[in-house]
């Protein structure tokens, strides 16, 4: 850890996050549950409040000033998302409630209208439930078949095995960019290039990459990409879907209602232009404006800076964890300079229950998650019912990692002493 990095990022931004400055059970909060949801900077909280205090109105059809301002704010946020992921057009960005809804949109719209008996969908065993269950529903309704990419020895995406199961029957490959449990960074460019050779579409679940790594959907060449705002400094209730224009144009609507129509007659309707075709009903206007503010904030810190700083945190975290006997982390080890995986560690300690560890650490003001992290099939394959997970973001520090490691060692010693 270079002192300068720490000074330039975490030390500088921590004052922007009011929630971090509090005691839990009399100890300063160490928030290491960022893979579940991130905290929100003042700029985002202000954007939400300012919208409701000054501009609140329904969007799009209004003539009056407040409605014009609300519409400008909402559509301006779409421009920010488009730029953030480098979409070719703002029409390629659809606001959803979260990544789960975005995946369901694709499953119900594209999946149900396109897939047929015997078509194959390739997922990986490390997928979040949100990228498994919608495809199970679509498979049941259409007769499509699910296939799974397995793990390598180092608990990463097995590209070789992927190559052996993909075929001309494959119509969709839907995979996570960065695993929320293993922390591995999947070779999405390669996966997409291979899938396209077989004419398959590719959906990338970017929930754990969008907050941490600069994204470029055009360079990646994915067909769809989804993310949730609440993991990238925005409020809950807002997420987005990126889709290639020709695909979104060809896809039928998912939900029907206001906002998504051109003309409605009693016996039929015509639909609005993109992206509104996929945004039925009054959207989460304030939350969309706030995701725009979150993107402004992340961009001002710099996605490259965030990524580099998190690599330093990763190296430091794993170095400390390696010093704890009988502790096993999952997924690949980082390189000495913290490359090759995300700044999160799912782990188990031999003989101890993950939720007991999390409960005891909470008494020390340390917030980590325990359980299956919505990756139950993966946990079954790893042979554990649950893991503990510490997940970091750019406002975390090496001092907090030190505090976490001390707390964890004390917790382990405590349980060992009562078990004796
Ligand atoms: C959090 C997460 C999801 C689901 O996000 P929601 O906001 O709950 O819709 C999907 N995939 C991954 C990898 C995640 O981390």
């Amino acid at each position: 850890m270079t002192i300068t990095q720490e000074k330039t990022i975490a030390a500088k931004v921590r004052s922007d996050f009011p929630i971090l400055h509090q005691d839990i059970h009399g100890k300063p909060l160490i928030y290491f549950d960022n893979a579940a949801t991130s905290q929100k900077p003042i700029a985002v909280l202000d954007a939400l409040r300012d919208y409701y205090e000054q501009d609140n109105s329904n969007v799009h059809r209004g003539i009056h000033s407040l409605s014009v301002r609300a519409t400008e704010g909402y559509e301006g946020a779409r421009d920010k998302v488009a730029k953030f992921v480098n979409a070719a057009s703002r029409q390629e960005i659809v606001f959803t409630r979260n990544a789960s809804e975005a995946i369901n949109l694709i499953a119900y719209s594209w999946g149900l209208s396109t897939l047929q008996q015997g078509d194959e969908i390739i997922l990986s065993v490390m997928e979040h439930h949100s990228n498994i269950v919608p495809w199970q529903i679509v498979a049941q309704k259409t007769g499509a078949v699910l296939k799974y990419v397995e793990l390598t020895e180092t608990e990463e995406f097995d590209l070789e095995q992927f190559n052996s199961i993909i075929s001309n029957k494959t119509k969709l490959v839907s995979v996570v960019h960065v695993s929320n449990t293993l922390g591995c960074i999947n070779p999405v460019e390669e996966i997409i290039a291979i899938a396209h050779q077989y004419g398959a579409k590719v959906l990338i679940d970017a929930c754990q990459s969008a907050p941490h790594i600069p994204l470029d959907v055009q360079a990646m060449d994915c067909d769809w990409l989804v993310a949730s705002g609440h993991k990238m400094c925005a409020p809950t209730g807002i997420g987005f879907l990126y889709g290639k224009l020709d695909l979104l144009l060809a896809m039928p609507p998912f939900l029907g209602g206001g906002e998504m129509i051109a003309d409605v007659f009693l016996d039929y309707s015509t639909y609005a232009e993109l992206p509104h075709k996929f945004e039925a009903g009054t959207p989460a206007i304030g939350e969309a404006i706030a995701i725009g503010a979150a993107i402004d904030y992340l961009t001002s810190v710099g996605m490259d800076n965030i990524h580099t700083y998190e690599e330093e945190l990763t190296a430091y975290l794993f170095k400390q964890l390696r010093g704890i006997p009988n502790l096993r982390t999952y997924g690949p080890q980082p390189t000495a300079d913290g490359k090759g995986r995300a700044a999160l560690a799912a782990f188990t300690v031999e003989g101890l229950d993950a939720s007991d560890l999390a409960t005891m650490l909470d008494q020390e003001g340390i917030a980590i998650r325990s359980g299956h992290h919505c990756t139950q099939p993966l946990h079954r394959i790893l042979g554990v019912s649950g893991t503990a997970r510490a997940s970091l973001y750019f406002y975390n520090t090496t001092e907090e990692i030190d505090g976490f490691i001390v707390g964890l060692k004390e917790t382990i010693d405590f349980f060992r002493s009562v078990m004796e």
Side-chain angles (χ1 to χ4, degrees):
M1 172 66 52
T2 60
I3 310 271
T4 32
Q5 277 285 353
E6 185 137 324
K7 279 270 175 326
T8 53
I9 302 185
K12 217 165 91 183
V13 301
R14 279 184 76 82
S15 58
D16 296 335
F17 293 83
I19 203 170
L20 297 176
H21 307 282
Q22 65 175 298
D23 289 349
I24 301 283
H25 302 301
K27 307 275 169 57
L29 167 65
I30 296 178
Y31 185 76
F32 278 4
D33 194 18
N34 294 287
T37 201
S38 78
Q39 298 304 349
K40 326 300 174 198
I42 292 168
V44 169
L45 304 175
D46 282 351
L48 197 55
R49 188 179 183 91
D50 287 352
Y51 166 72
Y52 282 113
E53 277 186 355
Q54 295 160 25
D55 303 327
N56 177 54
S57 180
N58 212 330
V59 286
H60 295 140
R61 291 162 312 277
I63 298 296
H64 62 81
S65 297
L66 290 187
S67 180
V68 171
R69 290 208 308 247
T71 305
E72 280 171 3
Y74 180 73
E75 292 302 330
R78 193 189 313 278
D79 291 328
K80 290 174 187 180
V81 175
K83 190 155 174 246
F84 188 67
V85 299
N86 195 33
S89 151
R90 65 190 312 281
Q91 289 183 294
E92 296 178 319
I93 302 298
V94 175
F95 282 124
T96 61
R97 274 191 305 143
N98 47 40
S100 301
E101 187 179 72
I103 295 172
N104 277 278
L105 188 163
I106 302 162
Y108 280 84
S109 167
W110 178 84
L112 289 185
S113 66
T114 310
L115 295 172
Q116 293 177 357
Q117 182 90 21
D119 285 346
E120 294 181 357
I121 300 170
I122 296 184
L123 311 173
S124 84
V125 295
M126 69 179 84
E127 296 312 311
H128 189 282
H129 297 164
S130 294
N131 196 25
I132 297 178
V133 184
W135 302 116
Q136 290 175 339
I137 294 171
V138 164
Q140 279 159 13
K141 287 185 194 282
T142 60
V145 178
L146 300 183
K147 296 209 156 178
Y148 286 93
V149 178
E150 291 163 12
L151 304 182
T152 60
E153 291 275 288
T154 51
E155 294 165 348
E156 293 172 271
F157 189 95
D158 191 338
L159 209 54
E160 224 173 281
Q161 188 253 349
F162 169 61
N163 262 304
S164 75
I165 59 172
I166 193 164
S167 74
N168 292 328
K169 285 193 223 159
T170 309
K171 294 292 177 282
L172 172 71
V173 177
S174 187
V175 291
V176 72
H177 190 180
V178 172
S179 162
N180 69 329
T181 303
L182 299 171
C184 53
I185 304 167
N186 290 330
V188 286
E189 284 89 355
E190 248 177 299
I191 294 167
I192 292 163
I194 294 165
H196 284 168
Q197 282 170 18
Y198 290 90
K201 301 280 180 259
V202 186
L203 162 57
I204 299 297
D205 172 356
C207 280
Q208 299 294 342
S209 56
H212 305 281
I213 305 176
L215 290 181
D216 182 339
V217 290
Q218 293 186 73
M220 210 189 268
D221 199 28
C222 53
D223 296 289
W224 299 284
L225 178 139
V226 301
S228 278
H230 69 91
K231 291 176 180 175
M232 45 188 285
C233 295
T236 52
I238 190 78
F240 64 88
L241 158 68
Y242 156 81
K244 281 185 181 162
L245 198 65
D246 54 342
L247 256 177
L248 293 182
L249 281 170
M251 283 161 57
F254 167 40
L255 300 173
E259 302 275 350
M260 56 74 73
I261 48 84
D263 285 299
V264 178
F265 303 92
L266 288 179
D267 47 356
Y268 79 99
S269 301
T270 56
Y271 305 128
E273 303 266 292
L274 285 175
H276 308 291
K277 181 173 80 174
F278 292 112
E279 293 181 357
T282 300
I285 304 162
E287 286 75 4
I289 290 170
I291 202 179
I295 285 172
D296 286 343
Y297 181 81
L298 290 170
T299 308
S300 75
V301 178
M303 290 307 297
D304 280 316
N305 294 334
I306 289 172
H307 182 49
T308 309
Y309 175 60
E310 287 185 11
E311 285 177 344
E312 297 186 27
L313 291 177
T314 305
Y316 194 77
L317 173 66
F318 275 77
K319 190 163 160 252
Q320 304 304 311
L321 286 173
R322 277 195 289 271
I324 300 180
N326 302 314
L327 182 147
R328 181 214 197 281
T329 55
Y330 295 86
Q333 285 293 316
T335 62
D337 49 3
K339 295 192 192 308
R341 61 161 298 129
L344 65 88
F347 60 93
T348 49
V349 181
E350 202 182 307
L352 301 186
D353 182 63
S355 52
D356 287 346
L357 291 176
T359 306
M360 283 287 285
L361 284 171
D362 177 61
Q363 293 301 309
E364 301 299 315
I366 302 165
I368 65 162
R369 191 150 290 254
S370 63
H372 54 59
H373 321 304
C374 295
T375 56
Q376 252 187 338
L378 173 65
H379 277 77
R380 281 198 199 93
I381 287 164
L382 297 171
V384 286
S385 59
T387 53
R389 182 185 67 187
S391 55
L392 281 53
Y393 208 7
F394 62 100
Y395 40 67
N396 291 127
T397 64
T398 51
E399 286 77 16
E400 288 181 306
I401 295 175
D402 290 339
F404 160 65
I405 295 292
V406 168
L408 181 58
K409 282 180 176 162
E410 284 173 3
T411 300
I412 293 169
D413 288 345
F414 168 79
F415 281 117
R416 295 267 187 253
S417 70
V418 285
M419 280 158 64
E420 267 165 20

